Amino acid sequence: MKTDEEYQQYIQHLTEFLLPFPEITEQKLKKMFPKTKKLKLPDLSKVDHSQLTYLSWNDLRSNRKYIIYELDGELVGIECKFSPTPKKNICSLCKCTSEVSYFSAVTKVKKSNNPDYFKSIGNLICKDSSECNKKITSSLYLENILRDSLGM
């Protein structure tokens, strides 16, 4: 490809092969986070499932970020604490420079010899998840974060 126009045509041709993000309801989201009181859900009617690698939203009231992803054919989700003050840096997921916030997820894995053990996984992630979804080229790092957090 020698021009931007050729590149855009090629990318447009590839969109036919994209798998859409699975349809999800508010009921499914509530079921994924049963321990969260007053779960603030995103407006699912405004979500474009065709351009979505992962579904994510911020709850500014509690400084939480929720991430939903289809892992091994099953929808999984994690709840993370995040810093409300974004900084310009490189996102761990899309590998692009943008406004990112630090987020940390506590794993569900426990050590049998130490019941108080926990492990927190921290990363920088785009504050605007819809922009991150547009730029992401590989979901491998996201899958690794989810596997570590969920103890898979």
Side-chain angles (χ1 to χ4, degrees):
M1 291 172 264
K2 298 184 189 311
T3 66
D4 287 341
E5 186 176 299
E6 288 176 343
Y7 174 75
Q8 290 301 328
Q9 287 175 347
Y10 180 72
I11 294 296
Q12 187 64 35
H13 170 71
L14 289 178
T15 58
E16 299 170 19
F17 301 101
L18 288 176
L19 297 174
F21 192 80
E23 290 293 324
I24 192 161
T25 63
E26 288 184 4
Q27 199 63 22
K28 281 184 187 175
L29 288 176
K30 287 178 182 176
K31 200 178 234 185
M32 293 177 90
F33 303 102
K35 294 182 180 180
T36 305
K37 304 274 190 255
K38 298 181 183 180
L39 179 64
K40 185 180 182 299
L41 298 174
D43 185 358
L44 295 174
S45 64
K46 295 181 181 178
V47 175
D48 181 11
H49 291 271
S50 65
Q51 299 291 319
L52 211 55
T53 302
Y54 65 94
L55 175 64
S56 180
W57 70 96
N58 299 333
D59 183 355
L60 299 175
R61 178 183 50 81
S62 64
N63 288 335
R64 301 266 187 219
K65 183 175 201 71
Y66 298 89
I67 299 175
I68 309 294
Y69 180 73
E70 186 177 23
L71 186 63
D72 300 331
E74 180 184 341
L75 282 175
V76 295
I78 58 172
E79 177 183 352
C80 314
K81 293 180 184 179
F82 83 103
S83 167
T85 53
K87 295 181 169 86
K88 196 86 159 164
N89 211 324
I90 297 174
C91 173
S92 299
L93 302 181
C94 69
K95 310 292 189 235
C96 294
T97 302
S98 64
E99 291 287 316
V100 297
S101 293
Y102 178 78
F103 85 97
S104 62
V106 175
T107 66
K108 300 194 184 297
V109 178
K110 301 286 185 199
K111 296 272 185 176
S112 60
N113 59 351
N114 186 358
D116 295 330
Y117 173 84
F118 77 97
K119 178 178 162 187
S120 181
I121 301 168
N123 284 284
L124 295 173
I125 188 171
C126 288
K127 181 182 177 197
D128 185 355
S129 299
S130 62
E131 285 301 311
C132 187
N133 267 293
K134 291 175 187 175
K135 298 175 193 171
I136 197 168
T137 57
S138 172
S139 60
L140 186 61
Y141 193 76
L142 173 61
E143 290 176 8
N144 289 337
I145 292 171
L146 289 166
R147 286 183 201 284
D148 285 346
S149 297
L150 298 170
M152 299 174 100

